[in-house]
Coordinates of all heavy atoms in Angstrom, one line a residue:
V98 N 3.7 39.9 -6.5 CA 4.4 40.2 -5.2 C 3.4 40.0 -4.0 O 3.8 39.5 -3.0 CB 4.9 41.7 -5.2 CG1 5.5 42.1 -3.9 CG2 6.1 41.8 -6.3
A99 N 2.2 40.5 -4.1 CA 1.2 40.4 -3.0 C 0.9 39.0 -2.7 O 0.8 38.6 -1.5 CB -0.1 41.1 -3.4
V100 N 0.9 38.1 -3.7 CA 0.6 36.7 -3.5 C 1.8 36.0 -2.7 O 1.6 35.3 -1.7 CB 0.4 35.9 -4.8 CG1 0.2 34.4 -4.6 CG2 -0.9 36.5 -5.5
V101 N 3.0 36.4 -3.2 CA 4.2 35.8 -2.5 C 4.3 36.3 -1.1 O 4.5 35.5 -0.2 CB 5.5 36.3 -3.3 CG1 6.7 35.9 -2.5 CG2 5.5 35.7 -4.7
A102 N 3.9 37.5 -0.8 CA 4.0 38.1 0.6 C 3.0 37.3 1.5 O 3.2 37.0 2.6 CB 3.6 39.5 0.6
K103 N 1.8 37.0 0.9 CA 0.8 36.2 1.6 C 1.2 34.8 2.0 O 1.1 34.3 3.1 CB -0.5 36.2 0.8 CG -1.7 35.7 1.6 CD -3.0 35.7 0.7 CE -4.1 34.9 1.3 NZ -5.2 34.6 0.4
W104 N 1.9 34.2 1.0 CA 2.4 32.8 1.2 C 3.4 32.8 2.3 O 3.5 32.0 3.2 CB 3.0 32.2 -0.1 CG 2.1 32.0 -1.2 CD1 0.7 32.1 -1.2 CD2 2.5 31.7 -2.5 NE1 0.2 31.9 -2.4 CE2 1.3 31.6 -3.3 CE3 3.7 31.5 -3.2 CZ2 1.3 31.3 -4.7 CZ3 3.7 31.2 -4.5 CH2 2.5 31.1 -5.3
Q105 N 4.3 33.8 2.2 CA 5.4 33.9 3.2 C 4.9 34.1 4.6 O 5.4 33.6 5.5 CB 6.4 35.0 2.8 CG 7.3 34.6 1.6 CD 8.2 35.7 1.1 OE1 7.9 36.9 1.3 NE2 9.2 35.4 0.3
A106 N 3.9 35.0 4.7 CA 3.3 35.2 6.0 C 2.7 34.0 6.6 O 2.8 33.6 7.8 CB 2.2 36.3 5.9
L107 N 2.0 33.2 5.7 CA 1.4 31.9 6.1 C 2.4 30.9 6.6 O 2.3 30.3 7.6 CB 0.5 31.4 5.0 CG -0.2 30.0 5.3 CD1 -1.1 30.1 6.5 CD2 -0.9 29.6 4.0
L108 N 3.5 30.9 5.8 CA 4.6 30.0 6.1 C 5.2 30.3 7.4 O 5.5 29.4 8.2 CB 5.7 30.1 5.0 CG 6.7 29.0 4.8 CD1 6.0 27.7 4.5 CD2 7.6 29.3 3.6
K109 N 5.5 31.6 7.7 CA 6.1 32.0 8.9 C 5.2 31.6 10.1 O 5.6 31.1 11.1 CB 6.4 33.5 8.9 CG 7.6 33.9 8.2 CD 7.8 35.4 8.1 CE 9.0 35.7 7.2 NZ 9.1 37.2 7.0
S110 N 3.9 31.9 10.0 CA 2.9 31.6 11.0 C 2.9 30.1 11.3 O 2.9 29.7 12.4 CB 1.5 32.1 10.6 OG 1.5 33.4 10.4
Y111 N 2.9 29.3 10.2 CA 2.8 27.9 10.3 C 4.1 27.3 11.0 O 4.0 26.6 12.0 CB 2.7 27.2 9.0 CG 2.9 25.7 9.0 CD1 1.9 24.8 9.5 CD2 4.1 25.2 8.5 CE1 2.2 23.5 9.6 CE2 4.3 23.8 8.5 CZ 3.3 23.0 9.1 OH 3.6 21.6 9.1
L112 N 5.2 27.7 10.6 CA 6.5 27.2 11.1 C 6.7 27.6 12.6 O 7.2 26.9 13.4 CB 7.7 27.7 10.3 CG 7.7 27.1 8.9 CD1 8.9 27.7 8.1 CD2 7.9 25.6 8.9
G113 N 6.2 28.8 12.9 CA 6.4 29.3 14.3 C 5.4 28.9 15.2 O 5.6 29.0 16.5
G114 N 4.2 28.4 14.7 CA 3.1 28.1 15.7 C 2.5 26.7 15.6 O 1.5 26.5 16.2
R115 N 3.3 25.8 15.1 CA 2.7 24.4 15.0 C 3.5 23.5 16.0 O 4.6 23.1 15.7 CB 2.8 23.9 13.6 CG 2.0 22.7 13.3 CD 0.5 22.9 13.3 NE -0.2 21.8 12.9 CZ -1.5 21.6 13.0 NH1 -2.2 22.5 13.7 NH2 -2.1 20.5 12.6
Q116 N 2.9 23.3 17.2 CA 3.5 22.5 18.2 C 3.9 21.1 17.9 O 4.9 20.5 18.4 CB 2.7 22.5 19.5 CG 2.3 23.9 20.1 CD 3.6 24.7 20.5 OE1 4.5 24.1 21.0 NE2 3.6 26.0 20.2
T117 N 3.1 20.5 17.0 CA 3.3 19.0 16.7 C 4.3 18.8 15.5 O 4.5 17.7 15.1 CB 2.0 18.4 16.4 OG1 1.2 19.2 15.5 CG2 1.2 18.1 17.6
L118 N 4.8 19.9 15.0 CA 5.7 19.8 13.8 C 7.1 19.3 14.3 O 7.8 20.0 15.1 CB 5.9 21.2 13.1 CG 6.9 21.2 11.9 CD1 6.4 20.3 10.8 CD2 7.0 22.6 11.4

Side-chain angles (χ1 to χ4, degrees):
V98 174
V100 173
V101 173
K103 190 181 168 191
W104 296 350
Q105 287 175 337
L107 177 60
L108 200 58
K109 282 179 185 169
S110 300
Y111 167 74
L112 292 173
R115 195 67 172 164
Q116 299 300 320
T117 45
L118 180 61

